[in-house]
Amino acid sequence: MSRPRIVIVGAGFAGYRTARTLSRLTRHQADITLLNPTDYFLYLPLLPQVAAGILEPRRVSVSLSGTLPRVRLVLGEADGIDLDGHTVHYTGPEGEQGTLPFDRLVLAAGSVNKLLPIPGVAEHAHGFRGLPEALYLRDHVTRQVELAAAADDRAECAARCTFVVVGAGYTGTEVAAHGAMYTDAQVRKHPMRTGMRPRWMLLDVAPRVMPEMDERLSRTAERVLRQRGVDVRMGTSVKEATHDGVVLTDGSTVDTRTLVWCVGVRPDPLVESLGLPMERGRLLVDPHLQVPGRPELFACGDVAAVPDLNQPGQYTPMTAQHAWRHGKVCAQNVAASLGIGERRAYRHRDMGFVVDLGGAKAAANPLGVPMSGPAAGAVTRGYHLAAMPGNRVRVAADWLLDAVLPRQAVQLGLVRSWSVPLESSSPEVARVPGGPERTGKDTGPAGQRDREETKNHPDTEPAKARPDTEPAKGQPGGEPAKGQPGGEPARNQPGEPAKGQPGREPAKGQPGGEPAKGQPGGGSGGAQGNGGRGRTGPSGSPRASGKPRRAVEAAGPRPDRGGTGKPGRAPRASGAGSGGRRPTAPSGPSRSAGPPADPGPEPPANQPPPGPDIAPGPVKRTDGRAAEGDS
């Protein structure tokens, strides 16, 4: 008799705990498969310390295969779920398709960024839910401080060293607290020419910082923030965002180059495609985390509306603490459905909350006892070490080194701005050049709402003469005019081979060239969206991945700012190629449409080019070779 097959979608707090507990309970009596876009579990509470340079990225990333030895890991994102056929359809990281059959299915897909219909936010803000976003923020903040330190103009210096964080919950408060310490340390080493200092702002429409916590802890956190110079503005949010700054709801304007979006999250739209009873976007389950009427389907974490037995009529909130404990109970009940052990209902007892404010400062209430100062800092770090499923010694070592050694403030340039858009459906995975393009549109209330919200955003048409667009041909810093040295040769002139010839861009649809429209990797017309998510699976369910995703990505292609606007073609930027291979450079002046010998990473099709703080690519040389470094 074959062993039962258990598939777990998502490896966040709930999914990881479910897989780990199930592997211990079943002991080779079941085949457990974990579907996740990445090969690690991310310990989100310590992510602000990665952005502040305290911890290295691998410290908060726990290997799935290394800590789940009896669990089969499948890298991919769910395209659709066929409940009647007991199959999960997914797409792998390189575009390959696959199907996972199951006897028991656990949905633990987590949540996605919560966007509001505010003009310009989707284009100019960045979220904070994954490692790529944290790495980008660290590089971006470091770069802005360095550029501000070298600026002679006070207005430019003030804009570059002003950082706006929207959302005063756990994440936003910790980002502002750690960010202020990080930039102050940079300025102490390299003071500004104009004598200015970095300025952090924390905005929220709530009446106080971290309204979900006890009022005494909220006051403690706000006091620490103000002592560090953070401009805390409650009852205020962003009314409009532009490239040069933000307009606040109180009518004031703040010049800034940094907008961090920590407003909140909403359940992953994966569950909306199932057509089952919902509660504010979450899948309704019973106290045993089982979907009524579907004995083979379980849900836990942020996608599940779990009844709160301690407060009848309410549901457990979307927090990591609840998700972690959901996973344990869910695993016990899945095992019980297979005849291993007994079922149990989920009942939670609040053990308190901790908020790390950087340095020796923190706010905590373990077992309901409010604490602040160094004592709260010790409790907070002790709690994180105890809660982490791995890397404890390395995390403690990084904390010790940070206490005795100066922090390293360098920008690595590993993550570009276009790689971590706010509307990304999978913030855990940075977008890469040549990534799989998928077609389709999300349906349902969330997808329709997101399309309506972004329909009239400023980026829906190519912007002209904007600071972050490509300079005009022949202008300084722009693409050289045709026939000029280092630029694009005039047509039918020597040095420009015909398409499909050696040294020239391969013809569309030919090996190594640009795929023809409608072919894998190529443009697909109006049905292709940003990132290509939203594919309808064989079950008829709209595409929704096993990890957080945004329905807005399937809203349709957005023309590139300053680019060609053609689906399937990368925006024409300095050093950016358009072919699928690297053709040999011609002996004459290099054509800008063909990449140099080593073009480096380029944005995927239909993505906005990098902003002014990101080098667009290698420098063009008149001898047809690429110069070292970024332009």
Side-chain angles (χ1 to χ4, degrees):
M1 181 177 179
S2 61
R3 295 184 297 183
R5 298 160 300 184
I6 304 173
V7 174
I8 303 170
V9 178
F13 278 90
Y16 179 85
R17 186 78 183 277
T18 301
R20 193 173 73 167
T21 306
L22 266 175
S23 66
R24 178 178 55 84
L25 293 175
T26 57
R27 298 220 177 250
H28 302 289
Q29 299 180 45
D31 292 329
I32 305 173
T33 301
L34 181 61
L35 178 65
N36 198 59
T38 64
D39 64 347
Y40 61 82
F41 158 75
L42 177 63
Y43 190 75
L44 273 170
L46 293 182
L47 200 58
Q49 297 192 26
V50 174
I54 299 174
L55 297 177
E56 290 303 312
R58 287 183 297 175
R59 304 296 184 258
V60 299
S61 310
V62 180
S63 171
L64 296 178
S65 57
T67 55
L68 302 173
R70 291 185 292 272
V71 176
R72 175 195 174 204
L73 173 64
V74 175
L75 294 178
E77 302 183 34
D79 286 324
I81 298 175
D82 185 356
L83 293 178
D84 296 329
H86 284 210
T87 55
V88 176
H89 307 277
Y90 70 92
T91 300
E94 297 181 354
E96 66 276 16
Q97 303 291 321
T99 302
L100 296 175
F102 65 84
D103 298 304
R104 299 291 186 273
L105 176 63
V106 179
L107 296 180
S111 53
V112 298
N113 286 318
K114 179 181 180 181
L115 285 180
L116 301 177
I118 300 176
V121 166
E123 293 78 22
H124 303 289
H126 287 280
F128 198 81
R129 289 193 55 77
L131 268 181
E133 293 172 321
L135 292 176
Y136 168 76
L137 182 62
R138 182 168 70 178
D139 276 4
H140 176 78
V141 170
T142 304
R143 182 183 308 112
Q144 295 306 311
V145 173
E146 291 171 348
L147 292 174
D152 293 321
D153 181 63
R154 289 186 61 87
E156 179 186 356
C157 179
R160 291 195 179 278
C161 61
T162 298
F163 309 95
V164 178
V165 181
V166 184
Y170 291 105
T171 302
T173 299
E174 291 185 344
V175 167
H178 283 281
M181 292 187 65
Y182 180 60
T183 53
D184 285 346
Q186 283 185 267
V187 172
R188 280 195 296 268
K189 295 181 181 179
H190 306 285
M192 305 282 183
R193 286 188 180 185
T194 57
M196 304 185 67
R197 296 189 63 83
R199 174 193 180 194
W200 284 79
M201 297 182 64
L202 181 61
L203 312 176
D204 203 309
V205 295
R208 57 187 175 90
V209 173
M210 293 187 298
E212 62 274 13
M213 291 190 67
D214 182 83
E215 189 172 352
R216 287 173 292 183
L217 299 180
S218 177
R219 288 198 302 266
T220 298
E222 183 172 350
R223 182 175 66 252
V224 171
L225 290 173
R226 294 189 183 278
Q227 287 174 352
R228 292 183 183 162
V230 178
D231 185 0
V232 181
R233 299 192 185 184
M234 294 293 98
T236 306
S237 187
V238 173
K239 182 179 180 181
E240 181 182 1
T242 65
H243 177 267
D244 298 320
V246 293
V247 179
L248 306 184
T249 52
D250 60 8
S252 60
T253 301
V254 178
D255 294 334
T256 181
R257 302 291 189 272
T258 308
L259 180 59
V260 187
W261 192 257
C262 304
V263 168
V265 296
R266 67 179 181 86
D268 191 291
L270 168 67
V271 296
E272 295 181 357
S273 66
L274 300 178
L276 298 174
M278 309 286 292
E279 171 62 30
R280 296 187 177 182
R282 293 195 283 175
L283 191 62
L284 274 174
V285 297
D286 60 22
H288 300 91
L289 306 179
Q290 195 168 21
V291 177
R294 288 284 181 177
E296 78 284 1
L297 181 59
F298 295 79
C300 54
D302 289 351
V303 299
V306 182
D308 190 341
L309 300 182
N310 296 326
Q311 303 181 48
Q314 298 188 21
Y315 300 92
T316 58
M318 297 166 59
T319 64
Q321 193 175 103
H322 279 288
W324 185 251
R325 290 165 181 168
H326 283 176
K328 180 179 179 181
V329 175
C330 184
Q332 292 172 336
N333 291 334
V334 170
S337 70
L338 300 175
I340 304 172
E342 298 181 357
R343 298 176 68 199
R344 56 170 294 191
Y346 178 75
R347 188 181 295 272
H348 173 72
R349 186 169 71 91
D350 189 4
M351 302 295 292
F353 296 94
V354 294
V355 179
D356 186 6
L357 300 175
K361 301 295 182 65
N365 62 340
L367 301 177
V369 180
M371 302 175 65
S372 61
V379 169
T380 298
R381 296 202 167 184
Y383 169 80
H384 287 317
L385 286 179
M388 286 195 68
N391 300 343
R392 295 187 181 95
V393 175
R394 289 185 169 92
V395 169
D398 274 5
W399 283 341
L400 178 61
L401 291 175
D402 181 71
V404 298
L405 296 176
R407 200 171 301 176
Q408 294 176 305
V410 294
Q411 45 175 317
L412 302 178
L414 299 177
V415 181
R416 303 298 181 94
S417 177
W418 52 264
S419 299
V420 285
L422 180 63
E423 71 270 23
S424 173
S425 63
S426 292
E428 302 89 348
V429 182
R431 293 184 180 177
V432 296
E437 296 286 346
R438 308 181 188 100
T439 61
K441 294 185 178 181
D442 286 331
T443 57
Q448 182 178 0
R449 179 177 64 251
D450 291 332
R451 289 194 296 273
E452 290 296 329
E453 292 173 1
T454 58
K455 182 177 180 181
N456 297 318
H457 275 174
D459 260 2
T460 54
E461 294 294 335
K464 296 182 180 180
R466 286 181 55 180
D468 57 348
T469 56
E470 179 180 292
K473 294 185 179 181
Q475 297 300 322
E479 182 181 36
K482 293 184 179 180
Q484 298 299 322
E488 179 181 7
R491 298 198 177 273
N492 301 323
Q493 296 297 324
E496 182 189 4
K499 288 190 177 181
Q501 299 299 322
R504 181 63 177 94
E505 178 186 8
K508 292 185 179 180
Q510 298 300 322
E514 179 184 10
K517 293 184 179 180
Q519 299 299 322
S524 57
Q528 179 168 324
N530 263 349
R533 304 189 189 281
R535 180 183 180 90
T536 301
S539 64
S541 300
R543 187 196 189 286
S545 93
K547 289 296 290 179
R549 62 205 16 80
R550 284 281 303 158
V552 71
E553 292 191 31
R558 279 194 319 217
D560 298 310
R561 289 178 286 182
T564 61
K566 297 180 180 179
R569 292 184 63 89
R572 173 172 280 177
S574 176
S578 60
R581 67 174 184 179
R582 297 175 179 172
T584 304
S587 58
S590 62
R591 177 177 170 83
S592 61
D598 187 11
E602 64 180 48
N606 302 327
Q607 297 303 316
D613 58 329
I614 299 298
V619 179
K620 287 290 182 181
R621 293 171 57 109
T622 58
D623 55 4
R625 295 182 292 115
E628 295 293 330
D630 288 338
S631 58

